[in-house]
Amino acid sequence: MADAIVNGLGGLTVGFQVLVADWRNTVMILVGFVFLYLGIKKDCEPLLLVPIGFGCILANIPLSDVMSEEGFIRTIYNAGIATELFPLLIFVGIGAMTDFGPLLARPSIFLLGAAGQFGIFLTLLLALAMGFPQLDAVAIGIIGACDGPTAIYVTSKYAPHLLGAVSVAAYSYMSLVPIIQPPIMRFMTTKKERETVMKPLAKPVSKTTKLLFPLVITILGGVIAPKGLPLLGTIMLGNLMRESGVVTRLTKASENEIANVVTLFLGLCIGATMVGSAFIKAQTLIILGLAFVAICLDTVCGVLMGKLMRVATGGKVNPLIGAAGISAFPMAARVVQKEGAKWNKKSYLLMHAMGANAGGQVGSVIAAAVMLSVLAGMGIIR
Amino acid sequence: MDNFTFGMTMLICGMGGTLLTLWVMSLIMGLLGKLFPEKPEKKEA
């Protein structure tokens, strides 16, 4: 009987023994606490960081079976991430929430959304140069889309072992956009350029144009880059529902209930992929570094395109709006407005920046779609 | 395929494809904006 009691007590202490034996789980539990602290106390992307932080703690408790074959988070992961369903459902919500009006009022701003994606491809080159396998480099490059769902979609499909690092990098750098972008914007522009006052977008957009927008983008984008059609189709479905105005219940469900439930599951699954033994590697630090470079390059290329548009329009464009050509919506647009107003109190760049930011949303999806289709064309993916 | 060829193909086709696609989209949306301009609401008599 004494043996049975000792063995029974051993069962209660084995978790502590594993925790002491493998320090990586302890570190990741602390990382989970940091995420919770940032989300709860600092209000930094709490909708994501709270479930990610808690998922991270759950998965790193020794002998935790939440990610084992029959574990409850593994079940959610298999249902929504392995199948790529969750990022797509999030996209329906994003489409339902986004007003593309400022972009449609000046469609040339689409080009800023394109330039804001160049960091993806330049970072891909850097990742290859650092020795990452080709599909891993694609997953790392896609962080430069500044678009969490797109990064998760591509990574879960082609480099699932990097999902934790890529997701954390994508979301953490998105929340750091107000810190990362302003110094680059100032470095890349002259005082005169930053002080430029842009005329307000006076041209209203008709409902017909707004309704045709998601249809045209879906068909054209789908024909050019069919591998990315799920991404493009879902964001445009959400936007069509919004602009049609006849399915208010579906629109509201997409931007509230569906998006909320999926965000919870997505965060929990991402956190649970951050198991110490798989996450604490030099590779993770390199990925975080490359992600930072990707967002810097996006900003540089966006501002350069803004400068090009300034030249083409005879000085009517403030190149700062180029920095909003990324997908971090509407954060990047607010950063541009704040920076512009700092240099000229009469400058009101918000609506122009919102247009560029909406262009960045479409741009990130198109860049991912083009990337996947080029990969398929080269025979690297099916 | 070696990494250099892969990287350069992704850079040229990826960046070029993205830019070209979005440029065509901007042209089409600009055209649609002109074809279907916003009409001012008619005032009721």
Side-chain angles (χ1 to χ4, degrees), chain A residues 80-89 91 138-139 142 147-160 163 166-167 170-171 225-234 266 270 365 368-369 372 381:
Chain A
I81 295 202
T83 58
E84 297 136 25
L85 194 61
F86 286 166
L88 299 179
L89 288 174
F91 262 139
V138 167
I142 205 69
D147 185 339
T150 301
I152 292 166
Y153 181 86
V154 174
T155 309
S156 62
K157 203 166 183 173
Y158 302 111
L163 187 64
V166 168
S167 312
Y171 281 110
K227 289 296 281 182
L229 191 57
L231 290 169
L232 201 54
T234 43
L266 197 64
I270 292 168
V365 176
L372 295 179
I381 60 169

Side-chain angles (χ1 to χ4, degrees), chain A residues 259-343:
Chain A
N260 290 342
V261 170
V262 175
T263 302
L264 169 64
F265 288 164
L266 197 64
L268 209 51
C269 290
I270 292 168
T273 59
M274 295 164 64
V275 179
S277 55
F279 197 81
I280 300 182
K281 290 177 180 171
Q283 189 191 51
T284 307
L285 281 178
I286 297 171
I287 292 174
L288 292 173
L290 285 170
F292 176 75
V293 172
I295 292 174
C296 293
L297 288 173
D298 283 342
T299 310
V300 168
C301 295
V303 174
L304 284 176
M305 182 61 88
K307 284 165 97 84
L308 196 66
M309 287 177 74
R310 179 183 169 84
V311 173
T313 56
K316 289 177 186 163
V317 170
N318 186 324
L320 289 180
I321 66 166
I326 59 172
S327 187
F329 189 90
M331 209 179 294
R334 287 193 194 132
V335 170
V336 170
Q337 162 61 21
K338 202 173 160 189
E339 194 62 26
K342 200 185 280 178
W343 292 93

Side-chain angles (χ1 to χ4, degrees), chain A residues 140-205:
Chain A
I140 294 166
I142 205 69
I143 301 172
C146 289
D147 185 339
T150 301
I152 292 166
Y153 181 86
V154 174
T155 309
S156 62
K157 203 166 183 173
Y158 302 111
H161 55 285
L162 297 182
L163 187 64
V166 168
S167 312
V168 168
Y171 281 110
S172 49
Y173 285 127
M174 265 166 61
S175 60
L176 291 176
V177 159
I179 298 166
I180 296 173
Q181 283 199 317
I184 301 173
M185 290 155 72
R186 285 192 288 270
F187 179 73
M188 295 292 300
T189 50
T190 62
K191 189 168 177 278
K192 191 183 170 194
E193 285 172 339
R194 291 193 291 272
E195 286 175 349
T196 308
V197 176
M198 288 180 74
K199 283 184 185 168
L201 290 168
K203 198 175 93 179
V205 180

Side-chain angles (χ1 to χ4, degrees), chain A residues 107 121 134 206 209 371 380, chain B residues 1 3 6 10 26 36 38:
Chain A
F121 302 100
Q134 293 175 351
S206 69
T209 309
M371 189 185 239
I380 289 173
Chain B
M1 186 185 293
N3 278 355
F6 173 76
M10 289 303 289
S26 77
F36 304 103
E38 172 75 338

Side-chain angles (χ1 to χ4, degrees), chain A residues 104 107 110 114 118 121 125 128 134 204 206 208-209 212-213 216-217 220-221 224 363 366-367 370-371 374-375 378 380, chain B residues 1-3 6-7 9-11 13-15 17-19 21-26 28-30 32-33 36-38:
Chain A
L104 296 174
F110 263 112
F118 287 176
F121 302 100
L125 280 187
L128 283 174
Q134 293 175 351
S206 69
T208 312
T209 309
L212 286 171
F213 169 72
V216 168
I217 300 294
L220 186 64
I224 295 173
I366 291 290
V370 166
M371 189 185 239
V374 172
L375 286 171
M378 287 194 285
I380 289 173
Chain B
M1 186 185 293
D2 67 280
N3 278 355
F6 173 76
T9 309
M10 289 303 289
L11 189 71
C13 298
M15 261 167 63
T18 304
L19 193 60
T21 306
L22 287 165
W23 179 63
V24 172
M25 283 175 177
S26 77
I28 294 177
M29 293 319 301
L32 287 174
F36 304 103
E38 172 75 338

